[in-house]
Amino acid sequence: MTLRFTRRAALLAAAAAPLAIPQRVRAQQQYRPEYKLSVVGNRPIPLSEGAFQWAEMVTQRSGGRINLRVYPGSQLVGGDQTRELVAMRQGVVDFAVFSTINISPQVREMNLFSLPWLLNDHRGFDAIINGPIGEELFRGLATREVVPVAWGENGFREISNSRREIRTPEDMRGLRIRFAAGAIFSEIFTAMGANPLQMSFADLQPALSTGAVDGQENPINLYLAFRMDTLAQRHLTVWNYVADAGIFVVSKQIMDSFTPADRTLVIEAARDAARAQIAASRRGIGVDGDRSSLEELARRNVTVTTLTNEQKAAFARVTRPVYDKWAQTVGTDLVRRAEAAIRGARA
């Protein structure tokens, strides 16, 4: 009798043991050995640097419970950065640092950042990402089985080319310009008389080196990091025609698998990395008096043309039909509220 009772008690105790383990420990036992973080490009550009810093912070702060590995160059999607959001929803990607440009073909509201000459400067950009518009964009993205946790920045996109200085819309005529993604960019450059060509970032450098394209548009930090001056890109125009926002994102399925404390850890690390990313994207381009990147361009004998507001307005007039068309795609009410927020930031 006693023996039977002992065996029964042991069996009951074994069955109950998992229930006695704290929820946090049980969740940790289910964590994966590795979580995949995708980002376009690679170090040292700020967008990619932010991804690496996020991974390092999460891994270190969790004591290795959440082990993030960065897969730069969008290698998890064969180099096609426009497929990162789809891959995340399919479970191929667990974490990501998106460029809004690359997800705008799937998330139409993100084309807000690509409306030509809407933002114009960092005050306008900050008014969007730090205000109600930024929160609304995150809510929309969250309906797509991902959890956006922080806004970052890759920088304003400038234009370079191998043929001539660009000061007026007429200077764009006939230039073969590479763009990353989104029909809006094709329409912007077509409106200026250029010949736009879409290609992945992985294909950009070979295309520049062979002369398959005459020019490209990217932030100054990326131009410097990838030595585009050595790829015949001798003319660079600072025109701030669109902003490239970054978004730190976690798969909803993955985020839901973490304990509440670890979710908080992931979010706080993302925000810390995003702040560093934004600071890095603005370094050296004249913000707060730091002109080190512009000085480096001069040392490399790059012809830098910085447009005045009046010169930018000429480009904005030529591309206004594109702006108006895409404002309807983004959402007319959303665009009008964004315009009001930007005007308020400049007041």
Side-chain angles (χ1 to χ4, degrees), residues 84-330:
E84 285 179 321
L85 176 59
V86 174
M88 177 167 276
R89 299 178 67 179
Q90 293 173 338
V92 176
V93 174
D94 305 316
F95 290 67
V97 177
F98 291 146
S99 158
T100 49
I101 288 172
N102 294 330
I103 64 171
S104 61
Q106 295 95 37
V107 187
R108 62 181 180 83
E109 297 87 355
M110 294 301 175
N111 284 290
L112 177 71
F113 295 95
S114 301
L115 293 176
W117 286 279
L118 165 66
L119 299 166
N120 207 31
D121 59 33
H122 290 101
R123 288 176 298 173
F125 180 83
D126 289 343
I128 296 302
I129 67 168
N130 295 326
I133 302 297
E135 294 174 0
E136 183 173 338
L137 291 172
F138 267 16
R139 287 195 297 271
L141 186 56
T143 65
R144 291 168 168 85
E145 300 170 44
V146 298
V147 182
V149 292
W151 281 106
E153 179 183 336
N154 200 32
F156 276 93
R157 299 178 78 88
E158 319 300 1
I159 189 164
S160 70
N161 80 99
S162 60
R163 293 174 57 182
R164 56 179 172 263
E165 191 175 6
I166 296 172
R167 290 184 177 274
T168 70
E170 290 72 24
D171 295 328
M172 293 290 296
R173 294 194 178 280
L175 293 179
R176 293 165 297 176
I177 304 295
R178 175 266 182 182
F179 68 97
I184 186 172
F185 290 94
S186 178
E187 294 179 24
I188 289 171
F189 287 108
T190 298
M192 292 186 283
N195 297 321
L197 297 162
Q198 181 179 358
M199 64 180 63
S200 70
F201 186 76
D203 293 331
L204 173 58
Q205 288 174 286
L208 291 175
S209 64
T210 61
V213 295
D214 299 311
Q216 59 85 46
E217 45 80 57
N218 261 304
I220 289 175
N221 64 70
L222 189 146
Y223 176 101
L224 286 170
F226 289 94
R227 297 300 308 246
M228 291 188 180
D229 53 299
T230 66
L231 300 174
Q233 298 296 288
R234 308 303 305 175
H235 304 281
L236 188 147
T237 295
V238 179
W239 63 352
N240 288 15
Y241 87 116
V242 301
D244 194 355
I247 305 180
F248 291 65
V249 184
V250 185
S251 157
K252 185 178 186 304
Q253 179 183 5
I254 296 299
M255 189 65 112
D256 288 346
S257 73
F258 293 150
T259 65
D262 282 340
R263 289 175 208 157
T264 299
L265 183 154
V266 166
I267 293 170
E268 290 179 348
R271 291 174 179 172
D272 289 343
R275 279 190 290 270
Q277 183 188 74
I278 291 171
S281 75
R282 300 180 185 185
R283 190 171 299 130
I285 58 174
V287 179
D288 297 328
D290 179 5
R291 297 179 57 83
S292 56
S293 293
L294 299 175
E295 292 165 359
E296 176 62 21
L297 289 168
R299 282 192 291 272
R300 297 186 190 182
N301 296 316
V302 177
T303 300
V304 178
T305 304
T306 301
L307 299 188
T308 65
N309 288 334
E310 291 74 18
Q311 289 172 316
K312 292 177 185 177
F315 285 91
R317 284 192 295 271
V318 169
T319 56
R320 186 68 197 194
V322 180
Y323 184 108
D324 291 339
K325 173 187 173 181
W326 281 86
Q328 297 179 35
T329 299
V330 172

Side-chain angles (χ1 to χ4, degrees), residues 25-96:
V25 175
R26 291 203 310 275
Q28 289 170 13
Q29 291 174 341
Q30 298 169 3
Y31 285 5
R32 299 179 183 177
E34 175 188 289
Y35 293 92
K36 296 178 173 63
L37 195 166
S38 180
V39 67
V40 64
N42 205 340
R43 280 172 157 164
I45 63 173
L47 191 76
S48 303
E49 187 67 40
F52 279 96
Q53 290 183 358
W54 187 22
E56 291 161 3
M57 289 178 187
V58 170
T59 302
Q60 292 170 3
R61 294 178 186 181
S62 69
R65 290 193 314 276
I66 306 174
N67 178 33
L68 265 63
R69 178 182 174 187
V70 180
Y71 289 80
S74 302
Q75 60 185 274
L76 294 173
V77 288
D80 184 356
Q81 62 264 33
T82 64
R83 292 179 50 222
E84 285 179 321
L85 176 59
V86 174
M88 177 167 276
R89 299 178 67 179
Q90 293 173 338
V92 176
V93 174
D94 305 316
F95 290 67

